[in-house]
């Protein structure tokens, strides 16, 4: 069965072109030209398996909807690729901070969008169809099969990309990983992707896991090198 993609963009010509291109690549693409139509579609089964979202829509702000999607447990992990004509670094950072897994500025090549979409789906589907496996680092648990994160037994919301990034750090707990090592471990990520996006995703992971994200004790920055998931403290036990 083809993977279901919901493309939300009010540029009807671009939407038709992308739907045809992605359709030829084996995806089942539905389009929506407004946030209203997109919201209605998400309420109808079967649910899309990925979302391509333009930020500038006639009836609302795509950034605000992204925030709403990430706040809803039903769509918190939905792979989401943002499209926008605003390509400044500040706009990219804002989109990633609000929960986008990747960001593509217009104009773009359809082949690049396809590559990024495939990468998002590979990360989201990693571990599906395999026996459940749980990574534990102190009170932190990552259920690789269910793509769930728990801290002291309580669920924490992360996007699919953030889950995979945290899993990379958890597999190497106590070791410093460079950005390049993290990117290599996140298989399929386009090499020309916004290279500072890892920093933004790390900040979002900290917001979900740290008592004080500005003074992190779990996800540590090693200046000039990279990031490390700290080993459990003596006063922290697994749940």
């Amino acid at each position: 069965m083809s993977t279901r993609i919901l493309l939300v963009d009010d540029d009807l010509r671009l939407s038709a072109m992308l739907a045809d291109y992605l359709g030829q690549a084996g995806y089942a693409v539905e389009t929506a030209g407004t946030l209203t139509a997109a919201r209605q579609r998400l309420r109808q089964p079967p649910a899309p398996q990925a979302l391509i979202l333009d930020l500038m829509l006639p009836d609302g702000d795509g950034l605000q909807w992204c925030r709403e999607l990430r706040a809803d447990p039903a769509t918190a992990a939905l792979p989401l690729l943002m499209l926008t004509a605003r390509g400044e670094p500040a706009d990219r950072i804002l989109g990633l901070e609000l929960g986008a897994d990747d960001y593509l500025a217009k104009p773009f090549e359809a082949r690049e969008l396809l590559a990024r979409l495939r990468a998002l789906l590979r990360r989201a589907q990693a571990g599906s169809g395999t026996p459940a496996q749980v990574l534990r680092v102190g009170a932190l648990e990552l259920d690789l099969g269910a793509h769930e994160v728990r801290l002291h037994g309580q669920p924490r919301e992360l996007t699919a990309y953030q889950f995979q990034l945290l899993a990379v750090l958890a597999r190497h707990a106590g070791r410093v990983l460079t950005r390049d090592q993290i990117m290599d471990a996140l298989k399929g990520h386009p090499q020309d992707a916004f290279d500072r996006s890892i920093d933004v995703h790390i900040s979002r992971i900290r917001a979900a896991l740290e008592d004080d994200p500005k003074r992190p004790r779990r996800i540590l920055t090693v200046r000039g090198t990279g990031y490390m998931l700290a080993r459990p403290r003596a006063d922290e036990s697994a749940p």
Side-chain angles (χ1 to χ4, degrees):
M1 183 178 295
S2 298
T3 301
R4 298 179 300 278
I5 309 297
L6 178 59
L7 170 61
V8 186
D9 196 311
D10 63 336
D11 185 333
L12 300 183
R13 181 179 178 183
L14 176 63
S15 293
M17 183 273 290
L18 290 177
D20 181 66
Y21 183 81
L22 295 177
Q24 292 180 33
Y27 296 98
V29 181
E30 296 181 70
T31 63
T34 64
L35 284 180
T36 300
R39 286 190 173 101
Q40 291 175 347
R41 172 59 188 87
L42 276 187
R43 290 194 290 266
Q44 301 169 357
Q49 293 161 283
L51 177 65
I52 301 173
L53 174 64
D54 183 38
L55 298 188
M56 302 175 68
L57 294 163
D59 62 340
D61 184 359
L63 283 172
Q64 177 57 38
W65 193 43
C66 178
R67 192 199 306 269
E68 294 172 12
L69 291 171
R70 292 317 188 205
D72 185 344
T75 54
L78 178 67
L80 194 159
L81 172 61
M82 281 188 174
L83 302 178
T84 181
R86 302 189 304 237
E88 295 299 319
D91 295 315
R92 298 185 184 195
I93 290 171
L94 180 58
L96 293 167
E97 286 182 337
L98 291 179
D101 294 298
D102 205 351
Y103 191 111
L104 191 56
K106 297 178 178 179
F108 55 83
E109 291 287 340
R111 288 182 299 175
E112 182 179 6
L113 182 141
L114 177 59
R116 290 174 182 264
L117 176 63
R118 284 173 169 166
L120 289 183
L121 291 169
R122 279 195 294 269
R123 290 194 292 268
Q125 294 167 358
S128 62
T130 61
Q133 181 181 357
V134 177
L135 288 175
R136 292 186 177 88
V137 182
L140 179 67
E141 286 188 343
L142 285 80
D143 188 326
L144 302 182
H147 273 225
E148 294 179 352
V149 178
R150 293 180 290 274
L151 183 62
H152 295 293
Q154 299 300 311
R156 301 299 171 99
E157 296 294 338
L158 296 177
T159 68
Y161 186 96
Q162 291 157 11
F163 180 91
Q164 292 297 332
L165 198 165
L166 181 59
V168 169
L169 295 176
R171 290 188 179 99
H172 301 86
R175 290 178 51 193
V176 181
L177 298 181
T178 66
R179 290 184 181 84
D180 286 342
Q181 288 174 321
I182 294 172
M183 292 290 283
D184 287 343
L186 295 169
K187 296 178 177 63
H189 196 85
Q191 292 301 309
D192 61 344
F194 180 41
D195 62 2
R196 306 301 293 184
S197 66
I198 285 180
D199 302 337
V200 177
H201 287 298
I202 288 289
S203 71
R204 299 299 294 175
I205 295 171
R206 284 173 171 159
L209 300 181
E210 300 283 1
D211 295 331
D212 182 357
K214 294 184 179 180
R215 303 176 69 180
R217 301 181 67 182
R218 290 187 172 84
I219 311 295
L220 305 181
T221 299
V222 180
R223 292 190 179 278
T225 305
Y227 295 104
M228 176 179 70
L229 177 63
R231 292 186 183 280
R233 306 188 304 272
D235 61 345
E236 178 179 89
S237 59

